[in-house]
Amino acid sequence: MKLKPIITEVIILAVIYIVARLSVPLFIGNTSMDINFNDTYWVINQSAIVILIFTVPVFLMLTTVTYLIKEGFYRYKRKVQNLILIVANFLFITVIYLLSLLFNMIQKAGGTLYPPLSALPKTVSPAHHDSNVVYTAMQITPALIIIFMLILVITAILTGKNWNLNKNEQIPA
């Protein structure tokens, strides 16, 4: 294989990573991650770790969507690009699943609330989860896993059909 297509794909992946890295702080903003785990309440400010936790899935999702659209124009006949698509999609599903397990474990950790709720005044409003990034991520994770699993299966089937075709061989309709 020639070197020019590989360099082109590396440049495309670098641009996708830069876009993901620059866009994650815009969506997170100045929020902090609040973790209640075994009677300990941690507040993690927006740091490199929090940004990295969200950058990797965003990078893998953007890579999958970009290559899905890009290879659709070529009818999934290019091997290297299809391998990038399948690997990025598989890694995205794996990372999202592991993050959902982590977020689910953190949310169910529980603990003791002091002072007891009976000692609080009756005018306290219930907590809303609208601005909690972890809660929002937990709500959309199952749908993302299902959608990207279907994309993985379909692209793997299309890539497998086109893998050993010669250029002179006709594609059955």
Side-chain angles (χ1 to χ4, degrees):
M1 180 169 194
K2 296 180 183 177
L3 191 60
K4 185 178 177 183
I6 294 173
I7 293 173
T8 305
E9 299 308 318
V10 169
I11 291 172
I12 290 171
L13 289 171
V15 168
I16 292 172
Y17 178 77
I18 291 169
V19 167
R21 179 67 175 90
L22 293 176
S23 66
V24 165
L26 294 175
F27 290 113
I28 293 176
N30 270 343
T31 62
S32 59
M33 186 183 297
D34 303 332
I35 301 173
N36 184 6
F37 190 68
N38 291 338
D39 288 338
T40 305
Y41 192 74
W42 293 322
V43 177
I44 301 173
N45 199 2
Q46 180 184 1
S47 63
I49 295 173
V50 173
I51 290 174
L52 183 66
I53 287 172
F54 291 108
T55 300
V56 171
V58 169
F59 166 70
L60 292 171
M61 183 179 69
L62 288 176
T63 303
T64 301
V65 171
T66 302
Y67 276 89
L68 183 69
I69 294 169
K70 189 174 120 178
E71 291 310 304
F73 291 115
Y74 292 99
R75 298 185 182 257
Y76 303 98
K77 293 184 191 248
R78 303 188 304 175
K79 291 181 182 179
V80 173
Q81 291 83 355
N82 288 340
L83 285 176
I84 293 171
L85 170 64
I86 290 171
V87 168
N89 197 352
F90 178 75
L91 289 175
F92 175 71
I93 293 169
T94 305
V95 167
I96 287 294
Y97 179 72
L98 293 175
L99 282 176
S100 72
L101 288 178
L102 175 70
F103 291 156
N104 202 10
M105 182 182 69
I106 289 171
Q107 290 292 331
K108 289 184 179 176
T112 306
L113 181 64
Y114 294 105
L117 292 177
S118 61
L120 293 176
K122 302 296 181 199
T123 59
V124 174
S125 62
H128 293 286
H129 295 288
D130 295 337
S131 63
N132 192 347
V133 176
V134 175
Y135 181 77
T136 306
M138 283 179 45
Q139 296 300 313
I140 63 171
T141 300
L144 281 176
I145 290 175
I146 291 170
I147 290 169
F148 281 90
M149 188 67 75
L150 289 172
I151 291 172
L152 178 65
V153 169
I154 291 169
T155 55
I157 290 171
L158 291 174
T159 301
K161 283 184 177 179
N162 295 326
W163 190 260
N164 285 327
L165 289 180
N166 295 329
K167 292 188 178 192
N168 299 329
E169 189 175 325
Q170 298 241 340
I171 301 171

